[in-house]
Amino acid sequence: MARPGATCPPPARRVMVAARALLFWALVYSYCGVCACIAGLRLLWSIGRRPGETFRWVVRENPPACLNDPSLGTHCYVRIKDSGLRFHYVAAGERGKPLMLLLHGFPEFWYSWRHQLREFKSEYRVVALDLRGYGETDAPSHKESYKLDCLIADIKDILESLGYNKCVLIGHDWGGMIAWLVAICYPEMVTKLIVVNFPHPSVFTEYILRHPSQLIKSGYYFFFQMPWFPEFMFTLNDFKVLKSLFTSQATGIGRKGCRLTAEDIEAYLYVFSQPGALTGPINHYRTIFSCLPLQHHEVIMPTLLLWGERDAFMEVEMAEITRIYVKNHFRLTILSEASHWLQQDQPDIVNKLIWTFLKEETKRKRE
């Protein structure tokens, strides 16, 4: 008889690991099936109501003027040696100033940082990147090319290609996930970390398993595991889902802040209406379950976490829990009446909070 507390022999341990893995993937694909059924019912409802409109999809051939606004900066490209991918970014501020690197979320692109490009260029070289697969950045065809280690390596390589060895790193949503991971894996490259509406990845993976309400809110993670169907659903009714994400009462921008202009919406529609433009962004999610949980957790640089309290996709309780993983100065600010799209929703407040954090940290370092 085995002694109490004795470790399981290797064969038994392997069986337990295999059983847990089987249960995990069974849950993933079961919930994926549920999400697919719900999406299918919505499709049938749309066809029944407006059959002529359901499959209408307009490719925008010309970019709106706002995408070439000179006040936002200069459109640039850099090719990464190791991957061979060409990345597009918009840069504002003088070369040689400290680098501020901005990572957008889904379904966004560099333009989601327009308010910050204008604001911080006085003291920083501000670079708003199109992540791998987004916008004018190259989009590898295989989903394995979107694993988290590839996305982390992209940021490291881009930093070096821009001629910098460190930066202030800011990420929102999925870009926040990448920012956390870069800070964990390459702490020497991040002087200060600022994340908008995304918790520490370990908090997210632990919380979602214990809270069905967050599991439901994150249903799109599971729905995106399917091939081609998520992309197809986005195109229905001329990208109604995309428009709704940014403008609806439930999830949109502007309850008590800025609203997207018609031209802003056209900017998003221009980028994502291009053939194949949605596959790269959705591929970011198609490898997520094979990459988490993390082996390393701690963040050692000063960190600011900003959160919109009315985030329709992320529960605010995760923000406070994130504190335990930051082994340095940590500041959390939760903005009431603010949505998930915080830096676009309340840009003036967000910019002020970022300035305060950056100057506060500079003063603390001198003392």
Side-chain angles (χ1 to χ4, degrees), residues 113 170-177 180 193-205 207-208 213-214 217-218 220-221 255 303-323 325-326 330-347 349-351 353-354:
W113 296 109
I170 305 181
H172 168 249
D173 183 69
W174 185 259
M177 162 80 88
W180 282 113
L193 176 66
I194 300 170
V195 179
V196 183
N197 280 78
F198 200 94
H200 186 287
S202 294
V203 173
F204 181 66
T205 54
Y207 189 91
I208 196 173
S213 56
Q214 181 58 55
K217 290 180 180 179
S218 300
Y220 60 96
Y221 277 69
R255 286 187 180 90
T303 301
L304 171 65
L305 178 59
L306 300 176
W307 204 280
E309 189 174 24
R310 291 185 176 271
D311 190 327
F313 309 102
M314 294 283 174
E315 296 190 351
V316 69
E317 288 76 12
M318 291 188 287
E320 183 60 42
I321 302 172
T322 290
R323 186 183 301 273
Y325 289 101
V326 180
F330 176 77
R331 179 180 291 277
L332 167 63
T333 301
I334 299 172
L335 301 182
S336 61
E337 301 301 325
S339 72
H340 176 75
W341 322 101
L342 187 57
Q343 79 275 21
Q344 299 182 76
D345 194 339
Q346 298 194 6
I349 297 175
V350 167
N351 291 346
L353 290 169
I354 292 175

Side-chain angles (χ1 to χ4, degrees), residues 35-223:
C35 294
C37 290
I38 293 172
L41 290 173
R42 288 176 176 171
L43 172 59
L44 293 174
W45 175 258
S46 178
I47 293 173
R49 290 186 63 195
R50 297 180 178 177
E53 293 292 315
T54 297
F55 301 106
R56 188 170 67 90
W57 167 15
V58 178
V59 176
R60 278 70 178 174
E61 297 183 357
N62 299 308
C66 61
L67 293 183
N68 293 305
D69 183 348
S71 72
L72 296 178
T74 305
H75 290 260
C76 307
Y77 301 86
V78 62
R79 189 171 295 279
I80 304 303
K81 291 181 179 179
D82 289 344
S83 66
L85 298 179
R86 190 186 75 155
F87 282 78
H88 168 254
Y89 63 92
V90 172
E94 297 176 9
R95 296 179 185 273
K97 289 183 176 180
L99 178 65
M100 177 183 285
L101 186 59
L102 308 174
L103 310 180
H104 63 79
F106 173 89
E108 298 174 288
F109 63 113
W110 71 266
Y111 188 69
S112 68
W113 296 109
R114 58 197 175 280
H115 302 292
Q116 289 68 45
L117 283 163
R118 293 190 183 100
E119 178 70 21
F120 295 100
K121 65 183 179 182
S122 60
E123 293 189 24
Y124 289 88
R125 175 69 168 172
V126 189
V127 170
L129 188 68
D130 275 345
L131 296 175
R132 178 184 290 223
Y134 281 83
E136 294 184 59
T137 291
D138 287 347
S141 58
H142 299 293
K143 70 177 184 179
E144 289 77 14
S145 299
Y146 296 86
K147 288 185 175 180
L148 288 175
D149 56 353
C150 297
L151 306 180
I152 298 167
D154 284 345
I155 307 308
K156 173 180 178 293
D157 293 342
I158 286 167
L159 200 68
E160 294 171 350
S161 297
L162 294 175
Y164 287 86
N165 56 23
K166 58 185 177 180
C167 70
V168 173
L169 186 60
I170 305 181
H172 168 249
D173 183 69
W174 185 259
M177 162 80 88
I178 298 172
W180 282 113
L181 296 176
V182 171
I184 292 167
C185 297
Y186 299 106
E188 72 282 359
M189 303 187 80
V190 182
T191 57
K192 299 175 184 69
L193 176 66
I194 300 170
V195 179
V196 183
N197 280 78
F198 200 94
H200 186 287
S202 294
V203 173
F204 181 66
T205 54
E206 293 165 6
Y207 189 91
I208 196 173
L209 293 175
R210 295 189 175 99
H211 296 81
S213 56
Q214 181 58 55
L215 187 68
I216 293 170
K217 290 180 180 179
S218 300
Y220 60 96
Y221 277 69
F222 299 85
F223 179 54

Side-chain angles (χ1 to χ4, degrees), residues 224-299:
F224 287 170
Q225 302 309 305
M226 299 183 65
W228 71 264
F229 191 49
E231 291 94 321
F232 170 71
M233 290 298 295
F234 262 93
T235 66
L236 297 179
N237 295 289
D238 194 29
F239 297 90
K240 181 180 179 180
V241 171
L242 184 66
K243 298 172 190 173
S244 178
L245 282 173
F246 293 113
T247 62
S248 73
Q249 187 65 28
T251 66
I253 295 170
R255 286 187 180 90
K256 290 191 176 180
C258 295
R259 290 188 181 275
L260 290 186
T261 66
E263 191 175 40
D264 292 335
I265 295 172
E266 277 303 308
Y268 281 93
L269 293 173
Y270 168 75
V271 167
F272 290 106
S273 69
Q274 305 306 312
L278 283 160
T279 298
I282 293 176
N283 274 343
H284 280 248
Y285 293 87
R286 287 181 168 135
T287 61
I288 185 67
F289 293 111
S290 62
C291 298
L292 295 175
L294 304 177
Q295 292 183 344
H296 306 288
H297 307 274
E298 291 186 354
V299 175

